Amino acid sequence: MMNFSSRAAIAAFASLLLLGAASAQTPAPAPATKSAPAKMAPAETKADKPRTAASLDCSKQADAKGLHGTERRKFRSECKKTSKVN
């Protein structure tokens, strides 16, 4: 039969083993090499060209109809064509 001091010693030993595994640190990341290509600048956006009044109006109409995706593109295209004719 195990006495209290033996059980306490076993518990202390087990907790030391678990404590070591819990406090382990991960290795530091490798330093970046100079041969890695530099990051490219982000592509230019289409913000350079201001939107026309017809384009904005067609977008508002598409929003009111709740159009998304391909349906929205088709609607806006047709809307802008008809607004140029008028």
Side-chain angles (χ1 to χ4, degrees):
M1 180 154 127
M2 295 176 66
N3 58 12
F4 179 73
S5 61
S6 297
R7 289 183 183 181
I10 292 172
F13 182 71
S15 64
L16 285 175
L17 290 176
L18 294 174
L19 181 65
S23 64
Q25 295 181 352
T26 59
T33 60
K34 291 186 179 182
S35 62
K39 289 186 178 181
M40 297 178 64
E44 291 185 27
T45 59
K46 294 185 179 180
D48 300 334
K49 187 175 179 183
R51 293 179 61 186
T52 63
S55 175
L56 292 171
D57 185 48
C58 292
S59 292
K60 288 178 184 176
Q61 290 178 23
D63 288 340
K65 292 184 178 186
L67 298 176
H68 298 284
T70 305
E71 297 165 343
R72 181 182 178 91
R73 285 190 295 271
K74 287 181 182 178
F75 173 79
R76 288 188 69 245
S77 177
E78 292 298 320
C79 177
K80 288 189 286 185
K81 286 178 186 176
T82 58
S83 66
K84 287 182 181 179
V85 174
N86 292 334

